[in-house]
Amino acid sequence: MEPNAKRGQRRQLFGLQVGLRQLLLAMLCVGVWFAHWTNQDGIARLEPKLANLQSLSPELIVSDPNKNAVVQLPSPWYSIRLWEVYIPTDRVRICLSTDDIAPFGLPDIYESVLLPKGQYAIQLDEQNETGGFRFLVTQNGQSCLNIEKKWVAASGGSTTDSNVWTQTKQFDDNVPIVLCRRRNNVPVPGSPGSSRSPSGPAEGLMLWLQNDH
Amino acid sequence: MELAWRIYLPANYKMTRVQRTDSSGSTSFGVSLGNPTETIVRVRFRDNNGLVECFSNHGASSSFTRIQPPIYAAAILEKWNQLEIEQLGKDRLVTCEPDEEFTLLSIKIPGELLESMKSRFDNSIYGNLSGEITRVQFMKQAP
């Protein structure tokens, strides 16, 4: 047979004439498609597991670097609450109040401090001391707010409205971010030892972030 | 001291932490879990000026107690390495039958150690102590 005739030789495959190049290309296509299909199948199997792991171990994921971001971390102790925050500007205050806490809105009386921009841990620690409580807020372990409150011990319970963000939540900088809102119950007149939820603003504990106006 | 487990529970399980208070009494803290749950259970002990506090937590619920009586607190602070601490799944994954009650954690003072420690405390009060400090268990409950 002539060499030139050899080059043009083709194989019969399912009644089609295919050359070696086409055969290799078809095998390559099948290989790539199979790898893609295997990966998609693996991703589908791992996604529910990943969602579970994310809820077990919350992580701050900042999708929009121009917005504030918050995620709540597991409490290391009964009196401690912990958040990881991302603040994109130098204009955000952290505010702490123990009086005039209404079911909605922000109280007028509070202590606050400007937070630096960046990503760090915010911790709220309620320390039960003789004759009252101390509320200590730290930023990456550094004390930034500290309120001592001589509460009457007979407050008889409270209502807590915590925003539990186990996955990162992002906010525009004009939206206050309420990390914790707790309202102490009030005594029931004429019924010693009984208490009920307050109807109006009450003593309690509120921690939030707001833009510095 | 901290102990932790990652666990999966089918629907309708109840977690209970039993804490002995004296020779006959105990307190227990329970929470029911309606839906299937995968979570991390943590039990922590902390020394607060000689008082031992215990914080247990899983998912959204938690409990806090002071370890009583003082002989138990002293055992945790001073003899932790000599306590009988049974942890389910400490070395390997453990699978329990769906309706099986299981104990995640049990902390006890061994008999000899308990007897030797009683001499430091009022033996008339602690005469019949069982030695069990705390236990965390899970049990199936009706939906």
Side-chain angles (χ1 to χ4, degrees):
Chain A
M1 191 183 287
E2 294 289 326
N4 286 348
K6 248 185 187 177
R7 209 177 298 141
Q9 188 180 23
R10 291 176 180 268
R11 292 160 199 266
Q12 282 266 327
L13 184 68
F14 302 120
L16 297 170
Q17 289 241 321
V18 291
L20 189 59
R21 266 188 223 159
Q22 283 95 330
L23 190 63
L24 286 172
L25 189 64
M27 286 169 70
L28 190 69
C29 286
V30 169
V32 168
W33 176 83
F34 184 75
H36 175 73
W37 178 81
T38 309
N39 285 342
Q40 290 299 314
D41 187 51
I43 289 168
R45 275 187 291 106
L46 288 173
E47 266 178 346
K49 206 171 181 178
L50 187 65
N52 264 336
L53 287 173
Q54 280 176 334
S55 69
L56 293 177
S57 178
E59 187 185 355
L60 189 75
I61 299 168
V62 180
S63 309
D64 184 343
N66 297 313
K67 289 183 175 182
N68 298 319
V70 181
V71 69
Q72 185 159 11
L73 305 178
S75 293
W77 195 245
Y78 81 100
S79 59
I80 295 175
R81 281 179 238 193
L82 199 56
W83 298 267
E84 184 85 8
V85 301
Y86 166 76
I87 308 288
T89 68
D90 287 319
R91 301 188 307 272
V92 174
R93 283 189 173 274
I94 185 161
C95 311
L96 181 66
S97 177
T98 55
D99 292 293
D100 285 333
I101 297 169
F104 305 100
L106 304 176
D108 295 329
I109 304 164
Y110 56 88
E111 290 191 16
S112 72
V113 67
L114 268 175
L115 290 171
K117 65 181 177 185
Q119 181 174 328
Y120 36 79
I122 296 287
Q123 178 175 301
L124 170 63
D125 188 0
E126 302 178 42
Q127 298 170 356
N128 194 347
E129 297 182 340
T130 310
F133 290 86
R134 179 176 298 281
F135 301 104
L136 185 65
V137 178
T138 59
Q139 176 234 324
N140 264 5
Q142 301 290 315
S143 174
C144 57
L145 290 169
N146 188 342
I147 293 182
E148 194 182 341
K149 190 74 184 175
K150 300 287 181 194
W151 267 330
V152 181
S155 57
S158 59
T159 305
T160 302
D161 177 20
S162 283
N163 291 313
V164 181
W165 297 302
T166 54
Q167 291 190 14
T168 303
K169 191 164 171 60
Q170 294 211 250
F171 300 84
D172 290 324
D173 69 351
N174 58 346
V175 178
I177 306 170
V178 178
L179 301 174
C180 165
R181 183 196 300 267
R182 191 177 74 207
R183 304 170 71 235
N184 291 353
N185 285 357
V186 293
V188 177
S191 179
S194 301
S195 66
R196 60 169 172 76
S197 299
S199 50
E203 288 184 327
L205 177 65
M206 190 162 164
L207 183 70
W208 72 99
L209 306 173
Q210 70 177 31
N211 205 17
D212 191 33
H213 300 297
Chain B
M1 284 78 82
E2 179 180 359
L3 305 157
W5 299 258
R6 182 174 160 196
I7 64 167
Y8 170 78
L9 293 169
N12 301 311
Y13 261 84
K14 182 180 182 183
M15 172 183 151
T16 307
R17 184 163 72 82
V18 180
Q19 185 177 310
R20 297 291 166 187
T21 52
D22 54 36
S23 57
S24 57
S26 66
T27 55
S28 66
F29 312 88
V31 60
S32 298
L33 304 162
N35 297 322
T37 307
E38 184 169 1
T39 188
I40 291 176
V41 176
R42 288 190 170 89
V43 179
R44 287 190 168 102
F45 296 94
R46 186 183 277 186
D47 175 13
N48 183 5
N49 297 320
L51 294 173
V52 177
E53 298 170 332
C54 178
F55 174 62
S56 62
N57 152 294
H58 76 288
S61 68
S62 58
S63 73
F64 169 78
T65 53
R66 290 208 166 83
I67 297 292
Q68 291 286 351
I71 191 171
Y72 284 173
I76 288 177
L77 286 181
E78 301 165 17
K79 310 286 184 185
W80 179 260
N81 291 334
Q82 297 175 45
L83 299 181
E84 286 176 5
I85 302 174
E86 291 176 23
Q87 298 173 70
L88 193 69
K90 183 182 176 185
D91 305 314
R92 61 187 172 81
L93 178 71
V94 173
T95 307
C96 301
E97 291 301 313
D99 294 325
E100 193 181 344
E101 177 179 322
F102 61 92
T103 299
L104 197 66
L105 170 69
S106 166
I107 303 180
K108 293 178 184 169
I109 309 180
E112 276 184 21
L113 179 62
L114 183 62
E115 291 307 315
S116 69
M117 290 189 73
K118 277 180 184 174
S119 59
R120 283 171 48 195
F121 296 85
D122 183 350
N123 201 31
S124 63
I125 298 174
Y126 300 134
N128 296 319
L129 274 185
S130 67
E132 181 180 59
I133 298 174
T134 193
R135 175 165 32 97
V136 177
Q137 60 191 45
F138 286 85
M139 59 197 76
K140 187 80 175 170
Q141 60 179 7

